Amino acid sequence: MEGRENGERRTGGPLLAAAVLVTGLLVTVLVSAGLHVIQRDKAERVMDQRHAMALAAVQTEIGRYRAVLETLAAGAASQTEFTWDDFDLSSSALADAKLIGAAAVAFVVPAETAGVAAAERKWRALGASGLRMRPVGTGEHFFTVYSRILNDTDVAGVTGTDLVTIPELRGAFEEARRLRQTTVSDTYVLLRDREKPVTEQQESFVLATPLWSRGNTPHFIGWAVLGLRGQSFLSGILQTTSQGHLFGSLTAANSDGGRVTIADWSVPGRPDLTRSSEFDVGDRRWTLITRADSGRLPGAGGHPAVIALAGGVLLTLLLAWLVHVLATGRSRAREQVEVATRELRETEADSRRQAVLLGAVLTSISDGVIVVDEHGGVLVQNPSGRRLLGGVDADPSSPEEWQRHYGVYRPDGVTPMSLQEMPLIRALNGEPSDGVEVFIRNGGRPEGVLLSVDGRPLDFSAGVHGAVAIFRDITELRRYETDLTIFAGVVAHDLKAPLSVARGHAELAIEDLGGDFPAVADASEAVRRVVHAVDRMDTLIETLLAYTTARHAPLRLASIRLEPLVLEVISDRLGHRAGDDGPAPRWTVSALPPVEADAGMVRHVLDNLIGNAFKYVRPGSAPRVEVTGEAVGVDRVRIAVADGGIGIPDAEKPRIFDSFHRTEAATAGYAGSGLGLAICKRIVERHGGEIGVADNPGGGTCFHFTLPAAIAVPEEDSAMSTEKADSDDDAVREALERALAERAAILEAAQLPGLGGGPPPVPEPQRTKRYEGSSADTSASS
């Protein structure tokens, strides 16, 4: 009995599936046949609608062309003397009408052979400047005297050409004059198109409207003529009305009774529907033939019968298969559940291993890691991060408590860092940051620690909106950089000392080499070149020292006003130009917002940019510099230094801030090391800003850079910052003096020749000439 039941179950499933298959296929065939009939009827109706729209559009456009041409003719006939200004005014509306396929509109006049010269003088006097009538043969001639191009791709017109040589135009003109109404010419190739390649020429036609004077005895004046290209006309209309679904063909009956195809229009597809309609155009009979692929017509395409047949067969097969599976597949379903359960357990175990591994990595690394959610709550913090932040056990519940828990300051260790400046808050706002220096001082870190922080928005794959920050201790690195600064100062002193000795001996040699002998003059010139070379080497050492310290020297941030700093730089630069016979510099300083920056480094940037403005000028031109500033957002200030100098080529702008890069013009006539702008870039980027260059609209170059805006600091904090900065500077200065003293002792003990003397003192520049500049908000003189 059990075997019989098993056999019935085994055979019942396939039989039921076969019944479902046969029934489904029969229903599908019937539905598909019905949809095919419905679809064909719908395609016929859509085709009728599309053809009617195309025919109406062609008739409407032809009627519009005729109306605007007759309006032009009526306006011309009302004038006593139809001048070029009258034609230009009345035909300008046609240029704005965007007539599809229209090539040009013209005014054509008749003239007998004997009257050609008089007619030419008449129309020239009426404004047809440069008109030259070129008659062909004898008898009556037709000349174009005025013409307006209506297509942007066409060139100048054909005024002065005798149109009597074109049979199609001659016939249209004579018929229009005889009937006193607008006529259409036979198709032909426009004169302006006959120079084009044959493949680009189109069958075209013209509309001609006669002009008769007003009054009791009207006389004939000429014709207003509108030229149309057939292919452009038909394609423009069908492309708009059919939306790429209709093939089109436009034919016309010529005066000899023959039919000519004016234009053809094709679209993708295989047309199986055709419509044809005749209509009148002037005194001619035109025919519009449209065809379409029924499968591509909107609302009638898509082959629903085929889709229904294919879909029905597919669904029937699927349903039969499902019936078979449901009838015989309980055991298979049980096996699949067991396999899925096993895979889920393996995945869960793997996830646990990954979580353990990630926790071990976070615990092992020396860099601090902290992850916060969208509200600033701490999600993850590794032991290194907790240790670097002072070992605070209780995590703050909101960002507003970070300052109280951790003690977050700017790199100066005094100025509290605002919440919006913190890398984690910037990352929560979608702004990644790298290498942001933060000073932490709290109960767990009373001596303070300088951290470099990288902030990133949390990847969306985590399923949580938040941010992650990685920070490392750079306190020792900054101390090492301070040692490098001291070392650079010692090296600079050692390098400049022999240069000073060499320069002193060279100056003595110049004084001793007196006389007018040629040999003495040559020797004096050679020694002067030595002095100039020593000066260039000394400048290069100073520049390299500034280039090094711009990267490694610690920032002494404070709120500073820029106007006095800029005016001081300009004053020093003008002082160095004392005695210069060149044109006096002109300068302007606008009101500049205060910034939070290292005053010494910012002064170096301003001195370099203003110095370049005074330096890189064309011979005989007055140096000109304009310094402006504005607030950008809530925490940035943008300073611009514009000059009127030699400028920078566009190809050189991307590389102008590279080390040792100089433009060809600067290399040819101006001294320099190619490090000045590279130093400026280092200083600005260390302040978290950007620097760039653009052309000055008034000629020359405009450099611009951004710095942090000044923040409101209490007086005690400002004093503490100044005191700390002074103490740090004193410590560095004392270390440098000790290093120099030790170095001098070594050199003296070794008794090295030529290295015992220091550089001679440089006197303050004598400001013997007064320069004055204008300023929008501040003025100063030097």
Side-chain angles (χ1 to χ4, degrees), residues 209-547:
T209 300
L211 277 72
W212 292 83
S213 65
R214 304 288 176 87
N216 295 328
T217 56
H219 65 277
F220 183 70
I221 302 174
W223 298 270
V225 180
L226 177 65
L228 294 171
R229 294 187 176 94
Q231 184 65 36
S232 300
F233 172 74
L234 181 63
S235 62
I237 292 178
L238 290 185
Q239 189 172 11
T240 303
T241 58
S242 73
Q243 299 176 351
H245 300 120
L246 291 182
F247 294 76
S249 177
L250 189 63
T251 62
N254 282 340
S255 57
D256 58 1
R259 301 199 68 83
V260 179
T261 299
I262 299 176
D264 281 310
W265 174 253
S266 298
V267 295
R270 296 180 179 180
D272 56 355
L273 299 174
T274 303
R275 297 291 185 272
S276 177
S277 297
E278 292 187 351
F279 58 96
D280 294 325
V281 179
D283 56 339
R284 303 298 168 88
R285 192 75 173 166
W286 284 15
T287 303
L288 175 65
I289 301 173
T290 58
R291 295 175 297 156
D293 184 345
S294 59
R296 292 176 176 267
L297 288 176
H303 305 288
V306 177
I307 294 175
L309 180 61
V313 171
L314 180 61
L315 289 175
T316 300
L317 293 174
L318 179 60
L319 182 60
W321 177 78
L322 287 175
V323 170
H324 176 73
V325 170
L326 292 174
T328 61
R330 177 181 298 180
S331 61
R332 287 193 299 271
R334 184 181 296 111
E335 292 176 357
Q336 291 174 357
V337 169
E338 292 176 355
V339 171
T341 303
R342 185 169 57 252
E343 291 177 351
L344 180 60
R345 289 171 180 170
E346 293 176 355
T347 302
E348 182 181 0
D350 185 64
S351 298
R352 290 176 180 173
R353 287 193 297 269
Q354 292 291 338
V356 172
L357 178 61
L358 178 59
V361 171
L362 289 177
T363 303
S364 303
I365 62 176
S366 60
D367 288 347
V369 178
I370 185 171
V371 182
V372 298
D373 60 19
E374 58 183 333
H375 303 295
V378 178
L379 298 176
V380 177
Q381 186 176 19
N382 70 340
S384 296
R386 195 174 298 278
R387 175 180 54 80
L388 290 174
L389 293 176
V392 180
D393 293 331
D395 294 327
S397 58
S398 65
E400 287 72 16
E401 299 181 8
W402 290 356
Q403 187 64 256
R404 181 172 59 84
H405 274 75
Y406 300 123
V408 187
Y409 298 88
R410 289 188 175 183
D412 59 6
V414 176
T415 307
M417 180 172 284
S418 66
L419 193 61
Q420 295 301 319
E421 291 181 272
M422 297 183 184
L424 270 175
I425 297 299
R426 292 169 59 183
L428 283 175
N429 294 330
E431 178 187 355
S433 57
D434 292 310
V436 178
E437 295 184 4
V438 176
F439 191 82
I440 301 295
R441 185 172 60 243
N442 50 47
R445 286 281 190 177
E447 76 286 356
V449 58
L450 185 62
L451 303 179
S452 175
V453 185
D454 299 339
R456 290 288 186 279
L458 195 61
D459 191 272
F460 291 111
S461 61
V464 178
H465 175 65
V468 58
I470 300 176
F471 44 94
R472 60 194 63 85
D473 185 356
I474 60 170
T475 306
E476 292 301 324
L477 176 62
R478 288 294 175 263
R479 291 171 183 166
Y480 172 72
E481 290 173 351
T482 301
D483 293 341
L484 285 180
T485 302
I486 297 172
F487 174 75
V490 173
V491 172
H493 179 272
D494 288 350
L495 290 175
K496 293 176 64 174
L499 290 178
S500 300
V501 174
R503 193 182 195 285
H505 287 303
E507 290 178 347
L508 291 176
I510 292 174
E511 294 178 359
D512 293 340
L513 290 173
D516 298 330
F517 299 102
V520 173
D522 292 343
S524 298
E525 181 62 27
V527 175
R528 289 189 181 92
R529 286 198 296 269
V530 171
V531 173
H532 293 159
V534 168
D535 291 340
R536 287 195 300 272
M537 178 62 73
D538 184 77
T539 302
L540 179 59
I541 291 172
E542 291 289 346
T543 303
L544 290 174
L545 181 60
Y547 183 70

Side-chain angles (χ1 to χ4, degrees), residues 46-67:
V46 173
M47 180 62 189
D48 291 338
Q49 295 173 356
R50 292 285 176 173
H51 176 76
M53 291 173 58
L55 178 62
V58 171
Q59 291 178 307
T60 301
E61 285 299 309
I62 290 293
R64 187 163 71 101
Y65 297 169
R66 180 173 180 173

Side-chain angles (χ1 to χ4, degrees), residues 56-283:
V58 171
Q59 291 178 307
T60 301
E61 285 299 309
I62 290 293
R64 187 163 71 101
Y65 297 169
R66 180 173 180 173
V68 297
L69 190 63
E70 290 177 349
T71 301
L72 173 64
S78 64
Q79 304 292 329
T80 305
E81 294 290 348
F82 189 45
T83 66
W84 160 253
D85 292 335
D86 297 331
F87 175 80
D88 181 57
L89 179 63
S90 57
S91 64
S92 60
L94 276 71
D96 299 333
K98 304 298 181 182
L99 302 179
I100 301 175
V105 61
F107 176 55
V108 179
V109 298
E112 296 292 336
T113 303
V116 169
E120 183 177 290
R121 290 192 298 272
K122 170 187 174 182
W123 293 107
R124 281 188 177 182
L126 293 177
S129 59
L131 174 66
R132 182 172 176 271
M133 295 183 176
R134 299 180 293 277
V136 178
T138 59
E140 188 178 29
H141 308 277
F142 304 142
F143 298 105
T144 302
V145 295
Y146 303 144
S147 177
R148 175 184 287 277
I149 303 301
L150 300 180
N151 190 320
D152 295 339
T153 61
D154 283 336
V155 296
V158 289
T159 57
T161 302
D162 190 355
L163 303 181
V164 77
T165 59
I166 304 174
E168 295 83 1
L169 292 182
R170 183 176 67 248
F173 291 162
E174 292 174 349
E175 191 71 5
R177 180 169 55 183
R178 183 178 67 83
L179 299 176
R180 295 197 177 189
Q181 67 179 25
T182 302
T183 61
V184 181
S185 72
D186 291 345
T187 58
Y188 76 108
V189 178
L190 296 178
L191 284 178
R192 65 184 64 255
D193 292 345
R194 295 185 178 182
E195 298 298 327
K196 296 181 179 179
V198 176
T199 55
E200 298 181 13
Q201 296 179 4
Q202 302 182 28
E203 289 293 335
S204 307
F205 57 92
V206 299
L207 298 176
T209 300
L211 277 72
W212 292 83
S213 65
R214 304 288 176 87
N216 295 328
T217 56
H219 65 277
F220 183 70
I221 302 174
W223 298 270
V225 180
L226 177 65
L228 294 171
R229 294 187 176 94
Q231 184 65 36
S232 300
F233 172 74
L234 181 63
S235 62
I237 292 178
L238 290 185
Q239 189 172 11
T240 303
T241 58
S242 73
Q243 299 176 351
H245 300 120
L246 291 182
F247 294 76
S249 177
L250 189 63
T251 62
N254 282 340
S255 57
D256 58 1
R259 301 199 68 83
V260 179
T261 299
I262 299 176
D264 281 310
W265 174 253
S266 298
V267 295
R270 296 180 179 180
D272 56 355
L273 299 174
T274 303
R275 297 291 185 272
S276 177
S277 297
E278 292 187 351
F279 58 96
D280 294 325
V281 179
D283 56 339

Side-chain angles (χ1 to χ4, degrees), residues 530-770:
V530 171
V531 173
H532 293 159
V534 168
D535 291 340
R536 287 195 300 272
M537 178 62 73
D538 184 77
T539 302
L540 179 59
I541 291 172
E542 291 289 346
T543 303
L544 290 174
L545 181 60
Y547 183 70
T548 302
T549 56
R551 168 180 290 177
H552 300 297
L555 294 178
R556 310 302 183 194
L557 299 179
S559 296
I560 58 175
R561 295 177 57 241
L562 290 178
E563 294 102 320
L565 203 59
V566 173
L567 294 173
E568 179 185 345
V569 169
I570 293 176
S571 176
D572 289 347
R573 286 290 176 175
L574 294 177
H576 292 320
R577 294 177 59 90
D580 190 351
D581 295 332
R586 294 176 296 167
W587 51 270
T588 302
V589 180
S590 300
L592 304 175
V595 298
E596 189 78 10
D598 186 308
M601 289 192 175
V602 173
R603 189 189 191 285
H604 187 97
V605 174
L606 293 171
D607 183 72
N608 194 291
L609 297 181
I610 294 173
N612 286 347
F614 285 177
K615 175 181 178 181
Y616 293 105
V617 296
R618 294 179 177 86
S621 300
R624 176 168 56 91
V625 64
E626 180 180 3
V627 184
T628 58
E630 60 179 351
V632 180
V634 297
D635 60 349
R636 283 286 182 271
V637 172
R638 185 178 188 271
I639 301 98
V641 180
D643 62 52
I646 61 176
I648 300 174
D650 291 338
E652 298 286 346
K653 288 187 176 70
R655 302 174 54 204
I656 197 66
F657 295 102
D658 294 346
S659 301
F660 301 104
H661 178 77
R662 305 191 71 206
T663 64
E664 183 177 352
T667 305
Y670 304 88
S673 62
L675 286 175
L677 294 179
I679 296 173
C680 293
K681 181 180 180 182
R682 281 189 174 183
I683 293 175
V684 172
E685 289 181 348
R686 287 201 61 193
H687 284 80
E690 298 177 349
I691 188 169
V693 62
D695 292 333
N696 189 12
T701 307
C702 179
F703 287 91
H704 55 84
F705 60 94
T706 59
L707 294 173
I711 61 175
V713 181
E715 293 184 2
E716 59 270 22
D717 289 346
S718 298
M720 187 183 302
S721 176
T722 303
E723 181 180 352
K724 184 179 186 304
D726 292 342
S727 64
D728 290 344
D729 290 340
D730 292 340
V732 173
R733 188 179 301 107
E734 290 175 2
L736 179 58
E737 290 175 354
R738 286 197 303 271
L740 290 175
E742 294 172 0
R743 182 63 173 159
I746 294 173
L747 294 177
E748 183 178 357
Q751 295 182 353
L752 297 177
L755 296 179
V762 181
E764 289 292 326
Q766 298 297 319
R767 296 186 173 93
T768 58
K769 188 172 183 179
R770 183 180 183 85

